[in-house]
Each structure stands twice: as structure tokens, then as C-alpha cells.
Amino acid sequence: MSKLIPCLRQLDAGHFTSGEAIAERLGISRASVSTTLARAETYGITLERRHGLGYRLSRPIEWLNTSAIQGELMPASAFSVEVLDHSESTNRALLAAPQHGRVLVTEWQSGGRGRMGRKWLGTLGGSLMFSLAWTFPEGPAQLAGLPLAVGAALARAIEAAGVREIGLKWPNDLLLPQGKVGGILIEMQGDALGPAQVVIGVGLNLYLPEGMGPLDQPAAALEGNGLNIGRNVLFGRILAELERTLPRFAAEGFAPLRGEWEAHHAWHDQPAQVHMPDGRHLQGIILGVSDEGALRLQVEGQTRLIHSGDVSLRRQRA
Ligand code: ATP
């Protein structure tokens, strides 16, 4: 992986670039370019190779670029963005040094995580996989609605980028009608009374190559679903929305964002099952969410509040 991204960055989809030119620019041998690019397909990148001409990408890739991302932020933004070629997990790296406002975004993640030890898979050049550190003066107890507040900010930025059907699933997923397009993972440090140092991790599919997987649920991507801006601008605008939303959440909690979250609620009034950590299932109709970000589920005529913890929500099909 260490040479693959530098080699791929030398290529485009418009014309062929010779192995010799790549080798010269990177100060490596032609043989090394050839063995490195032979591995591209295992990362979902397809290349055309033409004898005597070199290599061409089958589809263009907009690589992450710090100044293009930072250009979308306010001049006095609290965010400082670091672009990595590879990270085992941006959440894990940031938890080791969670300075307020630090953002890590990576082209490739080998150990991306979801909740409860699940995996998050990304696409080289086709995902946004990032984490940001934010310190909240209050303790963790005040932060139950944070995944929902982050989801509302993401949905706002994605909708403004042309994707009309972006939806939210409690507590931490972004959906399109075809499947899951993004996930949020919040981890924190600090004692019960605060301040809480929080790491907010996000994985978002812009593009899904054929044969990515294996995934145990349908996945979807923003490209082809209305997305009308590039990867760097989208990421910068997502950060800008988060920078507006996080101080507001710190001051006022989730309640002012609840209406916006529910306007994007993908499974509103739908029958669903809540899978409890002890293996039990609770069946009901999803009514929406509370001011604190708990799920409101109608079970046998009563409204029950489900707090996120280790529960999972699954749709119940007729
Ligand atoms: P929950 O409703 O409990 O959040 P979840 O299965 O959506 O359940 P998460 O922890 O949010 O769990 O996300 C991890 C899951 O997301 C994986 O188990 C896999 O099913 C799915 N997944 C992983 N990578 C992707 C991806 N790139 N696109 C869509 N889905 C993915």
C-alpha cells in the first residue's frame, strides 16, 4: 500500500502515463511501478494497461487535497485537516491524540470499525473516511443525542450537494432507498462529569466498485444519486456543517435539531424490531425520536423510549 497511492496519483483517466515517467517522478524502479500497479485491482481500482503507452485509470479519481478541503471552511475554523494515504483506523489514531478540532481523513483504512466490533469497508479513492476530535464541556451523559446531531449535519450537507433522498436511520446510519450509504461511530474519553473528549468517525460511500464486500446488508453510494460536487468540496462542506452544529449541540442539546432529524427519518411510522444486547427482540412501530435522541417505539399501544447503547434496529417487512 505504501507505494500504491503515490503511483496511482500519477495517473488519470484521460491519457496513458508510462511506467518510466512514474518511476522517474517517484524515484523508484520501473519494475517496482509495475508490481505496485498490479495490486491496484485488489483495492477496487481498475486500470487499462497498453504496451508501449503505459497505464490509464478506468474512471477518474479525485484524490483528497488539504487546501481544497480547507478552502470550504470559515477563515477562523477550529478544524485542522490532515490527509493520510493510509490509516488502520482514523478513530483509533485520533483517540491517541484527540486535540480539539483535529481532523484525520484517509484514502484507505485497513481496520475501519462500526458499532459493536463490526467492520466498516471503504473504497480507495471513492469514500470519505474521516474522524474529528471535539471537546464538550459537559460529561458523556449529555451526549446521548450526538450521533443524531452529527447525522442531521451530514444529511444537510449531502442534500445541499444535490442528493435529495438522503435519509437517517436511528441511531447512526445514513441511507438511500437502495441501501446504507454512511455510518457514524462516536467514541469518547473523559470522566462522568466532563469535559468529554469525543472522536466522531464517519464513513461515507461516494462510489462503490463492483464486487466490494462482502457486506451483510445492501449498500449504496452518493454518485449517481444526484451528487453534483466533487469529493473535496463535499468533505469541506460536511466539516463546515459540523462546525455549525457541534457548538449548537453543546449549548442546547439535540432538541433544536430533532425536527430536522425527523424530516430525514427513513423509517418513520414503519414496523421494526429492536435487537437487545441480551438477544431479545422488541417489536413495534417507529414513532420518531425524543428531545434527548432516544428512539420512540410504539409497543402494544404504549410509547417506549429506547436508548442507543448496544441495541440495533432492523426493519420488519410485511
Ligand atoms: P446498527 O443499526 O446497529 O447501527 P449496522 O449493521 O448498520 O447496525 P454499524 O456499526 O452502523 O452497524 O455499521 C457496520 C455495518 O455496516 C457492517 O456490519 C456492514 O453491514 C455495514 N457496512 C460496512 N461497510 C459498509 C459500506 N462501505 N457501505 C455500507 N454498509 C457498510
PDB file of all heavy atoms in Angstrom, residues 94 113 169 190 247:
ATOM      1  N   LEU A  94      -6.952   9.007  16.254  1.00  0.00           N
ATOM      2  CA  LEU A  94      -7.317  10.280  16.887  1.00  0.00           C
ATOM      3  C   LEU A  94      -7.540  10.115  18.388  1.00  0.00           C
ATOM      4  O   LEU A  94      -7.236  11.018  19.168  1.00  0.00           O
ATOM      5  CB  LEU A  94      -8.580  10.816  16.204  1.00  0.00           C
ATOM      6  CG  LEU A  94      -8.762  12.321  16.118  1.00  0.00           C
ATOM      7  CD1 LEU A  94      -7.488  13.019  15.673  1.00  0.00           C
ATOM      8  CD2 LEU A  94      -9.887  12.657  15.163  1.00  0.00           C
ATOM      9  N   ARG A 113     -13.996   0.589  11.589  1.00  0.00           N
ATOM     10  CA  ARG A 113     -14.920  -0.071  12.517  1.00  0.00           C
ATOM     11  C   ARG A 113     -16.298   0.561  12.489  1.00  0.00           C
ATOM     12  O   ARG A 113     -16.437   1.745  12.220  1.00  0.00           O
ATOM     13  CB  ARG A 113     -14.372   0.061  13.945  1.00  0.00           C
ATOM     14  CG  ARG A 113     -13.144  -0.775  14.176  1.00  0.00           C
ATOM     15  CD  ARG A 113     -12.600  -0.550  15.560  1.00  0.00           C
ATOM     16  NE  ARG A 113     -12.058   0.777  15.712  1.00  0.00           N
ATOM     17  CZ  ARG A 113     -12.173   1.509  16.817  1.00  0.00           C
ATOM     18  NH1 ARG A 113     -12.822   1.046  17.845  1.00  0.00           N
ATOM     19  NH2 ARG A 113     -11.618   2.706  16.885  1.00  0.00           N
ATOM     20  N   LYS A 169     -31.264   6.746   9.701  1.00  0.00           N
ATOM     21  CA  LYS A 169     -31.805   5.619  10.462  1.00  0.00           C
ATOM     22  C   LYS A 169     -31.212   5.701  11.858  1.00  0.00           C
ATOM     23  O   LYS A 169     -29.987   5.873  11.986  1.00  0.00           O
ATOM     24  CB  LYS A 169     -31.403   4.305   9.780  1.00  0.00           C
ATOM     25  CG  LYS A 169     -31.890   3.074  10.512  1.00  0.00           C
ATOM     26  CD  LYS A 169     -31.109   1.837  10.093  1.00  0.00           C
ATOM     27  CE  LYS A 169     -31.072   0.845  11.230  1.00  0.00           C
ATOM     28  NZ  LYS A 169     -30.020  -0.139  11.107  1.00  0.00           N
ATOM     29  N   GLY A 190     -12.826  10.578  28.997  1.00  0.00           N
ATOM     30  CA  GLY A 190     -13.155  11.602  29.988  1.00  0.00           C
ATOM     31  C   GLY A 190     -14.006  10.995  31.067  1.00  0.00           C
ATOM     32  O   GLY A 190     -14.619   9.956  30.857  1.00  0.00           O
ATOM     33  N   PRO A 247     -21.161  23.203  18.167  1.00  0.00           N
ATOM     34  CA  PRO A 247     -21.310  24.161  19.278  1.00  0.00           C
ATOM     35  C   PRO A 247     -22.772  24.339  19.678  1.00  0.00           C
ATOM     36  O   PRO A 247     -23.094  24.505  20.851  1.00  0.00           O
ATOM     37  CB  PRO A 247     -20.739  25.471  18.715  1.00  0.00           C
ATOM     38  CG  PRO A 247     -19.914  25.067  17.547  1.00  0.00           C
ATOM     39  CD  PRO A 247     -20.529  23.813  16.998  1.00  0.00           C
TER      40      PRO A 247
END
